[in-house]
């Protein structure tokens, strides 16, 4: 039973990385912007957060640095695609490649660095309940923060005027512009907010999830988060559930190894990516369903007055 409690705890931990990044990308896409640079954003944020904790000893400052790095790079991406009208897909890929190389260069001096002793978290009383406590109530605060943020995002998108405006910009920026809304500023704000969340996810990887720095340590999670928004049909609650599903698949490899299952480790390591491909292949069999749920202007540039 203890091993299953640890599997559930590890699933929540792994899923939080994907949830934070995917929720950020969902905000982008609800405004009509596709950002393929999530992998690079997360890597730059991971080294920024890790280096900050190494030098200051403060996890709070580390997460702030990660979110700030993600927001800064996303702002540069937003200026290019929103104001200068560059191709969103090409610019996002360039950002991803830049982030991979830049983080590797900056992180050379931190490969052997160590963080201060990691704190252990537990909710009083609840954390001591057999099975349920270790599984659910001994998590990093950001695990619960991701859940609360997903709920807040549902409320924001579907219960507030600002959320309605954001969705209208993603559906028909021309109509929103005709009504007097600053479409480009709204899109840029969404891109920066999404980048900050991707940055928070990257910092979580290097500070809490795997407290060290290794080149390329995000290991494709940015691409999985990108696929997760489609899998969840651009709905925050489904993003959260999908993140934990993919997190569970990621942790399953370690659980099976711990149970003595004789399967090559390379095959087990492939499981999250195979699951991503399978899910996308199944969703793609019904393109009409995707079109119904997808923001109508996703990936399309907007030029005022054109």
């Amino acid at each position: 039973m203890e091993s299953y409690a640890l599997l559930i705890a590890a699933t929540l931990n792994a899923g939080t990385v994907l949830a934070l990044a995917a929720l950020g990308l969902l905000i982008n896409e609800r405004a009509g912007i596709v950002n393929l640079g999530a992998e690079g954003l997360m890597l730059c944020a991971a080294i920024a957060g890790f280096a900050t904790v190494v030098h200051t000893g403060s996890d709070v400052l580390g997460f702030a640095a990660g979110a700030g790095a993600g927001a800064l790079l996303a702002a540069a991406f937003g200026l290019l695609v929103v104001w200068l009208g560059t191709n969103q897909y090409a610019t996002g890929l360039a950002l991803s490649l830049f982030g991979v190389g830049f983080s590797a260069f900056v992180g050379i001096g931190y490969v052997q660095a160590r963080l201060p002793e990691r704190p252990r978290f537990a909710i009083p009383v609840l954390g001591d309940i057999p099975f349920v406590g270790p599984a659910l109530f001994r998590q990093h605060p950001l695990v619960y923060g991701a859940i609360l943020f997903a709920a807040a995002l549902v409320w924001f998108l579907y219960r507030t005027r600002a959320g309605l405006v954001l969705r209208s910009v993603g559906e028909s920026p021309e109509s929103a512009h005709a009504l007097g809304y600053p479409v480009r500023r709204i899109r840029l704000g969404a891109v920066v907010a999404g980048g900050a969340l991707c940055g928070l996810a990257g910092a979580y990887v290097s500070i809490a999830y795997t407290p060290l720095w290794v080149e390329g340590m995000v290991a494709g999670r940015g691409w999985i988060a990108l696929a997760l928004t489609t899998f969840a049909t651009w709905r925050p609650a489904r993003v959260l559930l999908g993140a934990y599903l993919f997190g569970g698949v990621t942790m399953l490899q370690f659980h099976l190894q711990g149970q003595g299952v004789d399967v090559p480790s390379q095959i087990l390591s492939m499981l999250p990516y195979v699951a991503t491909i399978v899910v996308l292949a199944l969703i793609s069999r019904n393109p009409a369903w995707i079109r119904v749920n997808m923001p109508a202007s996703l990936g399309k540039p907007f030029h005022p007055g054109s």
Side-chain angles (χ1 to χ4, degrees):
M1 292 295 288
E2 183 179 355
S3 65
Y4 289 106
L6 294 176
L7 175 61
I8 294 171
T11 295
L12 293 174
N13 195 20
T16 296
V17 178
L18 297 173
L20 289 171
L23 289 171
L25 294 173
L26 183 144
I27 294 173
N28 289 185
E29 296 184 10
R30 277 294 187 177
I33 301 294
V34 177
N35 186 354
L36 300 184
E39 185 81 3
L41 285 176
M42 291 173 69
L43 280 168
C44 288
I47 184 57
F50 184 82
T52 300
V53 177
V54 167
H55 292 296
T56 67
S58 170
D59 284 15
V60 173
L61 289 178
F63 285 118
L72 183 62
L73 288 172
F77 167 82
L79 289 173
L80 288 171
V81 301
V82 176
W83 252 269
L84 299 182
T86 60
N87 183 277
Q88 295 181 21
Y89 302 97
T91 307
L93 286 173
L95 175 60
S96 186
L97 293 172
F98 169 80
V100 171
F102 183 74
S103 64
F105 173 73
V106 173
I108 292 174
Y110 293 94
V111 173
Q112 301 296 330
R114 292 180 177 274
L115 296 181
E117 184 177 354
R118 299 291 79 203
R120 295 183 178 275
F121 299 97
I123 297 178
V125 181
L126 295 177
D128 298 325
I129 300 175
F131 186 81
V132 177
L136 302 178
F137 300 117
R138 297 181 186 175
Q139 301 287 347
H140 190 279
L142 265 184
V143 173
Y144 309 113
I147 297 172
L148 292 175
F149 182 79
L153 189 57
V154 171
W155 173 80
F156 171 77
L157 288 174
Y158 300 105
R159 293 290 185 272
T160 68
R161 182 180 180 83
L164 176 61
V165 171
L166 180 68
R167 289 189 290 125
S168 69
V169 167
E171 292 293 335
S172 179
E174 293 82 7
S175 299
H177 177 69
L179 292 172
Y181 293 110
V183 171
R184 293 197 294 184
R185 279 189 286 170
I186 291 171
R187 282 189 161 184
L188 181 61
V191 167
V192 171
L197 281 171
C198 286
L200 197 61
Y204 185 83
V205 172
S206 62
I207 296 174
Y209 183 70
T210 309
L212 50 81
W213 167 253
V214 177
E215 181 181 338
M217 68 183 302
V218 171
R221 291 182 180 88
W223 298 109
I224 294 178
L226 191 66
L228 190 55
T229 58
T230 304
F231 165 76
T233 61
W234 296 273
R235 295 169 186 259
R238 293 180 185 176
V239 163
L240 198 63
L241 293 175
Y244 294 139
L245 173 62
F246 282 100
V249 172
T250 302
M251 289 297 105
L252 184 62
Q253 58 179 300
F254 302 108
H255 180 73
L256 292 175
Q257 288 173 344
Q259 296 297 313
V261 177
D262 188 19
V263 179
S265 60
Q266 293 83 355
I267 293 178
L268 294 176
S269 298
M270 290 164 52
L271 286 178
Y273 310 103
V274 172
T276 302
I277 294 171
V278 169
V279 167
L280 289 178
L282 291 174
I283 290 176
S284 298
R285 296 181 63 185
N286 191 352
W289 183 63
I290 294 180
R291 285 196 299 269
V292 168
N293 293 280
M294 181 177 69
S297 293
L298 183 62
K300 299 177 182 178
F302 169 72
H303 305 288
S306 60

